[in-house]
Amino acid sequence: MGRNNEKNIKKHNDKLHKAQAKAKQAEIARKEKLKEIVKKYNESKE
């Protein structure tokens, strides 16, 4: 039995895509938080 069978490849790709999606969501969340912080900073500066 080879290690590169369809089932194992699919399992690996699903895991990989899940991790990539998680990283992307984290990046979006960081950008949103940064926007909020900048907004609050600008309001307090005025």
Side-chain angles (χ1 to χ4, degrees):
M1 189 176 102
R3 285 166 60 177
N4 282 345
N5 63 28
E6 285 297 315
K7 195 172 122 188
N8 289 344
I9 291 170
K10 183 181 180 336
K11 194 185 287 185
H12 171 76
N13 285 341
D14 289 348
K15 207 172 179 182
L16 182 67
H17 295 148
K18 193 175 182 183
Q20 288 173 341
K22 195 174 177 184
K24 196 172 184 181
Q25 285 296 344
E27 190 179 329
I28 290 169
R30 278 197 303 272
K31 285 181 181 177
E32 288 297 317
K33 281 184 180 176
L34 185 63
K35 278 183 191 174
E36 286 298 312
I37 291 168
V38 168
K39 195 174 177 182
K40 283 183 182 176
Y41 174 76
N42 286 337
E43 284 174 2
S44 68
K45 214 167 118 176
E46 290 174 355

